[in-house]
Amino acid sequence: MSQEEKNELPKSIDLSHHLSDLAKARNVSPLKGFFKYYTPDVLALAGGVPHPDYFPFATLEASTLPVDTYSSTPGTITSPSPLAWLWNLFSSPSAARTTKISVPKYVSDPLNEVNLATALQYGMATGVLPLQQFLRDYSRIFYKPGFSDFTTLVHTGNTDGWSRVVYSLLNPGDSMLVEEWTYPSALSAALPIGIHTVAVPLDSKGMRPDALRHILSTWDSKSRGFNRPRLLYTVPIGQNPSGLTTGEERKRAIYEICVEYDIIIGEDDPYYILQEGEYIAPDVRAKRANARKETKKKTDEEEIRAFVESLERSYLHYDYQGRVIRLDTFSKTIAPGSRLGWFTCNPMFAERLERAGEVSTQAPSGFTQSMVTQLVVKTWGMAGYVRWLRGLRAEYTTRRDTLIDAFCKAMGVELVTEEYRNEKPGGDVWDGATVWTATLTANAGAVKGAKGVEKKVRVSFVPPTSGMFVWVKVDFSDLSPPIHVPGEEENEGTHEGRFWVTLAKAGLLILPGWVFRGEKEHAPIDPNKYAHYRISFSDSTVDNMDKAAKIFAKTLREYCSQ
Amino acid sequence: MSQEEKNELPKSIDLSHHLSDLAKARNVSPLKGFFKYYTPDVLALAGGVPHPDYFPFATLEASTLPVDTYSSTPGTITSPSPLAWLWNLFSSPSAARTTKISVPKYVSDPLNEVNLATALQYGMATGVLPLQQFLRDYSRIFYKPGFSDFTTLVHTGNTDGWSRVVYSLLNPGDSMLVEEWTYPSALSAALPIGIHTVAVPLDSKGMRPDALRHILSTWDSKSRGFNRPRLLYTVPIGQNPSGLTTGEERKRAIYEICVEYDIIIGEDDPYYILQEGEYIAPDVRAKRANARKETKKKTDEEEIRAFVESLERSYLHYDYQGRVIRLDTFSKTIAPGSRLGWFTCNPMFAERLERAGEVSTQAPSGFTQSMVTQLVVKTWGMAGYVRWLRGLRAEYTTRRDTLIDAFCKAMGVELVTEEYRNEKPGGDVWDGATVWTATLTANAGAVKGAKGVEKKVRVSFVPPTSGMFVWVKVDFSDLSPPIHVPGEEENEGTHEGRFWVTLAKAGLLILPGWVFRGEKEHAPIDPNKYAHYRISFSDSTVDNMDKAAKIFAKTLREYCSQ
């Protein structure tokens, strides 16, 4: 594919009309004038920087896990061990294999070797050099952007990154496109400055291009009260909360609409490497695992390529104009407490996002930069990191399978292979999917021996192919709407809310649909008829997943029989 | 002093009318509804959090310096060694005495013991518990706030902290009071959202209350074009760039004016513990050092109290209404790369500042929190940390002395003990100070043997009693203004700018006055007559300070003789 030959790719186009007033008003770096005269020979008595001798850390060290800690093929959950807190005290196979890494304060080549004198000092908002280089390589190899002059810039996690994007592109009163169910923290940054959100419907393949085009082509600022959106916020892989994944065809179609209507795409992709693939029923899964053959040993380069090829592409790959700002994070691959991630985008946006960083977080923590760079860049390298990511993907695949197995077992779910029946006028999040549905028949309103009316409650979900979440829909439409109880919060007075509270009181905490509404004031669907819940499989034990499924099934039966 | 008895102190007053539209519009924490039902027994399949087993760090460790690495009395600079980069490779007295600290992934009491499973996980924007407790104790012991319900909140350094203050208190088009020379990055956060700055004149005791009152009492919004300021930004100790320190009398007077005019005080105090005391000429200093007696060993509590009593108080101490938002940082005491600091303020502001953190940086880096908490809180404790701070203060005192000694020697400075002569109508930054002045007599305009006109150039400074900077004034008023050279930047075409460039080209980089203007569009003083420079003594070697002073003196002589 000739587009992948870097020197044949187009450069990004001029998108400076997208900058917010705030972004335009930000100065160039105050350090710019300073560095004009900064040479290796000059004596600099300019900065208010402590000498590194005064940092009380002589070295920073860590015991780190080997890249092959986790099997790269799904099986049973390796982690967490039910005795996780004892992990350190007694030897375990992986603990015994830890590698010691160490970052000294002073090194002979401070630009290229990780060292505390640099990492713990004041630094540019661009971070330490070896990390910058690694991230650029990573974006190039994994995303193969469709324009040549893409660049990368560190941030302190996608929440920080997204805040910077909002403030750099939108003025108060502007609007942005979001998925009809979306990540609430992305809205928390935007809503307080008076940004309006416009929800784009989803179906089983992700965001619907027809719906997106309809919104934009029929836009009437007067009746809406605000201008047409110029920014799209999307979580394309393992979407939060719906678990949906947007593939190549959809991405290309959505990208073309964004070109046509001059929209910037903010691609928030924390679950990118957690592309778990199709859920397969346990019996078939077991047979396939037995049939799996040893494949011949690959070179590092082949391993990297095979992994990259196994993943959906980023919007960046289809971006020939530089209108995608991609957000990546180490939160899911190393640790959320890293507070480290990066943008990949055109150099003009990157420069403005860097200025925004200079007046807030500055560089990411030097402790983080030291440890992540020393481990990922200097100890593992790209091939090692890919091996680690493959292990994580396999673990999350097993987790996904374990949770769904448990729910199927507890609910007695039967597979519905027909096209999903719309439950919402104009389309539904699962249109076109293979949906798993359990139908409970409850004896609602039974009082002391007297037979109640028979009611059906259906629980449906689509096993996600990526991410950390199963999005469950409960069809309460056969039940009467609940009667509001004085003192009850509004959202807790619907079937969605009341069942959620009932579950929590029964010992299971998941997240209810209303939290994820793309337009806060509009429920995409009546929560008294169709309740939605996000169930995470990211961090519980096998036992707890089993218990959770049982609590869910038992509590739902009881709830419907009231 | 009865005000110091905590239970007799007043509570903070209602200051909610100071909140910006942005701060008011921020939601309560999205986690609030979640935590309502979160009990230790509930199964939580709610968050998108990775299990800590997937963090590739089994332990985090460090070799750390002992608290008494640096002598607590000033002397010669212990650091940096000219062979600093070899520091780790060969044994040195302090390197040999390092202590190993270690943070395991799992512990039995994860709330109170530092552990990676907590610190590297997603966490509240309030940070880990032992650090929260320590910071609260620190603020209570060091600042003795004048109101009872003060609280503390971590941020990722004072730049982040100050950004949050600006966005939480000011709307676009509002104004804020700043010192006439001020820290430029504090303005970089505010100016792009359309905040106007109003410069308050300084004299040798810090910000002038009479000038502050004059500005506020004669305020005319119509002629100014914007409303009276409701926020004051100040760096009261070792002010950046002037080196000035504001004492008790001034702080009380300024505080009362702020009460009268309902102004919030943003106290940015990174140099607080670097209170070095009076500069004493080398010969007297040597005699005093010899006369210093061994004092009897103090208890930990006495040591802490003695150190606290040796320091100027924070504005917080005089604050009986809760209108001070104080910003502290670990950047000068541990390392800038920590990206860790904290607010001390009333709980209403703290809650809004926490919400601002949730949509940007979230919690500070878990690597930072682990290492700083394990070292400062768990290993050193308050008394150990105080000992470390005393060492740092002594080191910076020595550095200040060394730089000033070098400049006096190179310039041939003579002490002017008279009251400083105003060079600026209406007052001057050094009014009331003992100023050190050197007068150079140069042969200006001499051409090929022909004698030029004799010109006098005076170089003045006041040795700072705190901080990292010497603020130098060069009186060029006897020289003709320079002729602007085509292509030269505006600021570089004045004596201030042109001498700065000349110095840089001669091998010495310091910072010029224009960078620090409190009102960007107005020079407090004509830079063709009085040029200002900030010289830092924070991180160079004794040798380099000597070289710098010689370059400065030689270049100035040549510059004046042109």
Side-chain angles (χ1 to χ4, degrees):
Chain A
M1 194 176 171
S2 72
Q3 261 210 340
E4 291 185 3
E5 300 297 319
K6 196 186 152 191
N7 50 7
E8 296 183 24
L9 294 176
K11 272 200 155 189
S12 58
I13 65 171
D14 180 12
L15 293 163
S16 55
H17 56 286
H18 280 282
L19 294 178
S20 68
D21 293 342
L22 175 59
K24 281 183 208 146
R26 286 197 200 282
N27 283 332
V28 292
S29 171
L31 297 171
K32 202 183 152 213
F34 173 87
F35 280 107
K36 189 165 61 171
Y37 296 104
Y38 188 79
T39 66
D41 300 324
V42 81
L43 285 178
L45 275 66
V49 301
H51 193 278
D53 274 10
Y54 298 148
F55 307 163
F57 292 88
T59 62
L60 202 57
E61 290 154 44
S63 297
T64 61
L65 304 191
V67 293
D68 59 353
T69 302
Y70 299 107
S71 164
S72 60
T73 49
T76 53
I77 298 179
T78 315
S79 162
S81 132
L83 295 172
W85 71 270
L86 285 172
W87 199 71
N88 255 57
L89 306 177
F90 300 98
S91 64
S92 79
S94 64
R97 294 198 294 135
T98 57
T99 302
K100 203 89 175 185
I101 64 169
S102 178
V103 176
K105 188 180 274 187
Y106 298 108
V107 294
S108 54
D109 179 5
L111 218 55
N112 295 304
E113 292 174 64
V114 190
N115 65 95
L116 300 180
T118 304
L120 297 189
Q121 188 55 281
Y122 283 109
M124 309 290 280
T126 47
V128 300
L129 194 60
L131 181 62
Q132 286 178 40
Q133 290 164 334
F134 182 86
L135 296 180
R136 207 183 140 75
D137 286 348
Y138 186 98
S139 283
R140 185 176 46 76
I141 294 169
F142 274 73
Y143 310 133
K144 303 190 195 335
F147 63 107
S148 61
D149 56 341
F150 74 93
T151 187
T152 55
L153 172 70
V154 289
H155 55 59
T156 70
N158 283 10
T159 306
D160 168 47
W162 178 244
S163 261
R164 290 200 223 171
V165 170
V166 167
Y167 291 127
S168 297
L169 298 186
L170 299 182
N171 287 321
D174 281 350
S175 65
M176 66 181 188
L177 297 155
V178 297
E179 282 134 352
E180 68 179 326
W181 301 102
T182 191
Y183 176 51
S185 291
L187 305 193
S188 298
L191 296 178
I193 62 163
I195 303 301
H196 305 273
T197 56
V198 179
V200 184
L202 302 165
D203 68 12
S204 64
K205 289 186 177 130
M207 185 181 284
R208 280 173 43 197
D210 62 323
L212 177 62
R213 178 176 291 283
H214 180 76
I215 289 170
L216 295 167
S217 63
T218 62
W219 190 267
D220 175 22
S221 298
K222 217 166 178 183
S223 69
R224 288 273 194 165
F226 50 89
N227 285 335
R228 206 172 68 192
R230 289 183 301 101
L231 176 64
L232 165 66
Y233 174 75
T234 180
V235 180
I237 306 289
Q239 204 259 354
N240 187 353
S242 71
L244 294 171
T245 292
T246 308
E248 170 163 2
E249 196 188 326
R250 279 290 167 93
K251 279 180 171 155
R252 285 192 190 274
I254 290 166
Y255 182 80
E256 286 306 327
I257 295 171
C258 290
V259 169
E260 194 177 331
Y261 288 92
D262 192 17
I263 288 165
I264 304 299
I265 299 174
E267 181 181 39
D268 180 10
D269 213 352
Y271 314 109
Y272 185 73
I273 64 106
L274 305 182
Q275 297 188 32
E276 296 132 5
E278 292 297 319
Y279 171 76
I280 295 159
D283 49 338
V284 182
R285 207 156 71 223
K287 276 181 214 152
R288 290 199 192 170
N290 290 334
R292 210 170 268 139
K293 279 179 209 160
E294 280 295 303
T295 51
K296 95 175 211 299
K297 180 101 180 89
K298 294 191 180 98
T299 67
D300 280 355
E301 208 179 313
E302 285 165 347
E303 289 280 9
I304 294 171
R305 190 181 307 168
F307 184 63
V308 168
E309 293 300 327
S310 75
L311 301 170
E312 292 287 349
R313 285 278 196 276
S314 159
Y315 270 108
L316 281 174
H317 184 60
Y318 312 114
D319 180 12
Y320 51 84
Q321 295 191 323
R323 60 172 66 248
V324 173
I325 304 179
R326 184 183 163 87
L327 293 96
D328 274 287
T329 176
F330 282 105
S331 288
K332 316 296 183 193
T333 64
I334 301 296
S338 309
R339 300 290 80 217
L340 185 66
W342 74 99
F343 300 103
T344 311
C345 63
N346 75 56
M348 189 271 297
F349 284 159
E351 190 270 344
R352 292 287 93 188
L353 294 165
E354 184 185 336
R355 297 288 87 75
E358 279 171 355
V359 295
S360 57
T361 58
Q362 299 192 339
S365 154
F367 290 99
T368 293
Q369 290 197 72
S370 305
M371 285 289 100
V372 172
T373 308
Q374 193 69 356
L375 178 64
V376 176
V377 181
K378 297 294 185 179
T379 307
W380 288 352
M382 191 64 75
Y385 187 45
V386 162
R387 177 59 189 82
W388 171 256
L389 297 178
R390 287 171 59 213
L392 285 187
R393 176 169 70 165
E395 281 286 305
Y396 281 92
T397 305
T398 307
R399 293 182 155 276
R400 190 263 324 259
D401 293 349
T402 307
L403 183 77
I404 291 179
D405 292 353
F407 268 76
C408 288
K409 204 174 144 200
M411 301 292 304
V413 173
E414 57 179 78
L415 179 62
V416 178
T417 50
E418 296 87 17
E419 174 106 344
Y420 184 68
R421 186 172 62 82
N422 281 351
E423 288 175 342
K424 186 184 141 191
D428 188 281
V429 58
W430 289 331
D431 272 359
T434 299
V435 177
W436 297 61
T437 297
T439 303
L440 304 180
T441 305
N443 198 11
V447 187
K448 272 207 174 176
K451 206 167 177 266
V453 186
E454 200 160 88
K455 300 279 183 188
K456 282 190 193 310
V457 173
R458 294 188 311 141
V459 181
S460 312
F461 61 90
V462 172
T465 59
S466 304
M468 294 182 160
F469 310 115
V470 179
W471 184 235
V472 173
K473 179 188 284 194
V474 185
D475 177 354
F476 285 117
S477 59
D478 211 24
L479 264 57
S480 322
I483 294 152
H484 191 266
V485 177
E488 196 175 40
E489 287 180 35
E490 192 194 346
N491 282 322
E492 296 181 3
T494 62
H495 275 311
E496 183 176 88
R498 193 167 287 184
F499 179 58
W500 177 71
V501 172
T502 309
L503 262 185
K505 288 181 178 165
L508 174 62
L509 197 55
I510 54 181
L511 284 181
W514 81 74
V515 170
F516 300 101
R517 286 180 195 163
E519 295 179 12
K520 283 286 164 226
E521 57 280 21
H522 303 119
I525 194 163
D526 182 351
N528 274 326
K529 291 188 174 162
Y530 303 102
H532 290 79
Y533 303 98
R534 192 191 80 175
I535 304 176
S536 165
F537 51 82
S538 63
D539 69 334
S540 34
T541 58
V542 177
D543 273 1
N544 282 345
M545 289 189 194
D546 263 334
K547 276 187 211 159
K550 282 175 189 155
I551 292 173
F552 189 93
K554 180 168 177 280
T555 309
L556 184 60
R557 273 177 226 280
E558 288 168 1
Y559 183 85
C560 301
S561 303
Q562 280 168 5
Chain B
M1 194 175 171
S2 71
Q3 261 211 340
E4 289 185 19
E5 302 297 319
K6 194 187 154 193
N7 50 7
E8 295 181 26
L9 294 177
K11 271 199 153 188
S12 59
I13 64 171
D14 180 12
L15 293 162
S16 54
H17 55 286
H18 280 282
L19 295 178
S20 68
D21 293 342
L22 175 58
K24 281 184 209 146
R26 284 197 201 284
N27 283 333
V28 293
S29 170
L31 296 171
K32 203 184 152 212
F34 173 84
F35 279 105
K36 189 163 62 171
Y37 296 104
Y38 188 77
T39 66
D41 301 323
V42 81
L43 285 177
L45 274 68
V49 300
H51 193 277
D53 274 9
Y54 298 148
F55 307 163
F57 293 89
T59 63
L60 203 56
E61 291 154 44
S63 297
T64 62
L65 304 192
V67 293
D68 60 352
T69 302
Y70 299 107
S71 164
S72 61
T73 51
T76 53
I77 297 180
T78 314
S79 161
S81 130
L83 295 172
W85 71 272
L86 285 172
W87 198 71
N88 254 56
L89 305 177
F90 299 97
S91 64
S92 80
S94 66
R97 294 200 293 134
T98 57
T99 302
K100 203 89 177 184
I101 63 169
S102 177
V103 176
K105 188 181 274 187
Y106 298 107
V107 295
S108 55
D109 179 5
L111 219 55
N112 295 302
E113 293 174 64
V114 190
N115 66 93
L116 300 180
T118 305
L120 296 189
Q121 188 55 279
Y122 284 109
M124 309 289 280
T126 48
V128 300
L129 194 61
L131 181 63
Q132 287 179 40
Q133 289 164 337
F134 182 86
L135 297 180
R136 206 184 141 75
D137 285 348
Y138 186 97
S139 282
R140 184 176 48 74
I141 293 169
F142 274 72
Y143 311 134
K144 303 189 200 322
F147 63 107
S148 61
D149 56 340
F150 73 93
T151 188
T152 54
L153 172 70
V154 289
H155 54 59
T156 70
N158 283 9
T159 305
D160 167 47
W162 178 246
S163 260
R164 289 200 223 171
V165 170
V166 167
Y167 291 126
S168 297
L169 298 186
L170 299 182
N171 287 321
D174 282 348
S175 66
M176 67 180 186
L177 297 155
V178 298
E179 282 133 352
E180 71 180 325
W181 300 104
T182 191
Y183 175 53
S185 291
L187 306 192
S188 298
L191 296 177
I193 61 163
I195 302 301
H196 305 273
T197 57
V198 179
V200 185
L202 303 165
D203 69 12
S204 64
K205 290 187 176 129
M207 186 181 284
R208 282 173 43 199
D210 62 323
L212 177 62
R213 180 176 290 285
H214 180 77
I215 289 170
L216 294 168
S217 64
T218 62
W219 190 268
D220 175 22
S221 297
K222 217 165 175 184
S223 70
R224 290 274 195 166
F226 50 90
N227 285 334
R228 206 172 70 193
R230 289 183 300 102
L231 175 65
L232 166 65
Y233 173 75
T234 181
V235 181
I237 306 289
Q239 204 259 354
N240 187 355
S242 73
L244 295 172
T245 292
T246 309
E248 171 162 4
E249 196 189 326
R250 279 292 168 93
K251 278 182 172 156
R252 284 192 191 277
I254 290 166
Y255 182 80
E256 286 306 328
I257 295 170
C258 290
V259 169
E260 196 178 330
Y261 288 92
D262 192 18
I263 288 165
I264 303 299
I265 299 175
E267 181 181 39
D268 180 10
D269 213 352
Y271 314 109
Y272 185 74
I273 66 106
L274 306 181
Q275 296 188 33
E276 297 132 4
E278 291 298 317
Y279 171 75
I280 297 159
D283 48 341
V284 182
R285 206 155 71 222
K287 277 181 215 150
R288 290 201 190 167
N290 290 334
R292 209 170 270 138
K293 281 177 207 160
E294 280 292 304
T295 51
K296 95 174 210 300
K297 179 101 179 90
K298 294 192 182 97
T299 66
D300 280 356
E301 208 181 314
E302 286 165 348
E303 288 280 10
I304 294 171
R305 191 181 307 167
F307 184 63
V308 169
E309 293 302 325
S310 76
L311 301 170
E312 293 286 351
R313 286 276 196 278
S314 160
Y315 270 107
L316 279 175
H317 185 59
Y318 312 115
D319 180 12
Y320 51 83
Q321 296 190 322
R323 62 171 65 249
V324 173
I325 304 178
R326 182 182 165 86
L327 292 96
D328 274 287
T329 176
F330 282 104
S331 288
K332 316 297 183 192
T333 64
I334 300 296
S338 309
R339 299 292 78 219
L340 184 67
W342 74 100
F343 301 104
T344 311
C345 64
N346 76 56
M348 189 269 298
F349 285 158
E351 190 270 344
R352 292 287 91 188
L353 294 164
E354 185 185 335
R355 295 291 85 75
E358 279 170 353
V359 295
S360 56
T361 59
Q362 299 192 340
S365 153
F367 290 98
T368 292
Q369 291 199 72
S370 306
M371 285 289 100
V372 171
T373 307
Q374 192 69 357
L375 177 64
V376 176
V377 182
K378 298 292 185 180
T379 307
W380 287 353
M382 191 64 76
Y385 187 46
V386 161
R387 176 62 191 83
W388 173 256
L389 297 178
R390 286 171 60 214
L392 285 187
R393 176 168 70 165
E395 282 286 305
Y396 281 92
T397 305
T398 307
R399 292 181 156 275
R400 187 264 324 258
D401 293 349
T402 307
L403 183 77
I404 292 180
D405 293 352
F407 268 78
C408 287
K409 205 173 143 199
M411 300 293 305
V413 173
E414 58 177 75
L415 179 62
V416 179
T417 51
E418 298 86 19
E419 173 105 345
Y420 184 68
R421 185 174 62 81
N422 281 351
E423 289 176 340
K424 183 186 141 190
D428 190 279
V429 59
W430 290 331
D431 272 0
T434 299
V435 176
W436 297 61
T437 298
T439 303
L440 304 180
T441 305
N443 198 12
V447 187
K448 272 205 175 177
K451 206 169 177 262
V453 187
E454 200 161 89
K455 299 280 185 189
K456 283 191 191 309
V457 172
R458 295 189 310 141
V459 181
S460 313
F461 61 89
V462 172
T465 59
S466 305
M468 294 181 160
F469 309 115
V470 179
W471 184 235
V472 173
K473 178 188 285 195
V474 185
D475 176 353
F476 285 118
S477 58
D478 211 24
L479 264 57
S480 322
I483 293 153
H484 191 264
V485 176
E488 197 175 37
E489 286 181 33
E490 192 195 345
N491 283 321
E492 296 181 4
T494 63
H495 275 311
E496 183 176 89
R498 195 169 287 185
F499 179 58
W500 177 71
V501 172
T502 309
L503 262 186
K505 288 180 178 165
L508 174 62
L509 196 55
I510 55 181
L511 284 181
W514 81 74
V515 170
F516 301 100
R517 286 179 195 164
E519 295 179 12
K520 283 286 162 224
E521 57 281 20
H522 303 119
I525 195 162
D526 182 353
N528 272 328
K529 292 188 174 159
Y530 303 103
H532 290 79
Y533 303 97
R534 193 191 78 174
I535 304 177
S536 166
F537 51 83
S538 63
D539 68 335
S540 33
T541 59
V542 177
D543 273 3
N544 282 346
M545 289 189 195
D546 263 334
K547 276 186 211 160
K550 282 175 188 155
I551 293 172
F552 188 94
K554 179 168 178 281
T555 310
L556 184 59
R557 275 177 225 280
E558 289 169 2
Y559 183 86
C560 301
S561 303
Q562 277 168 9

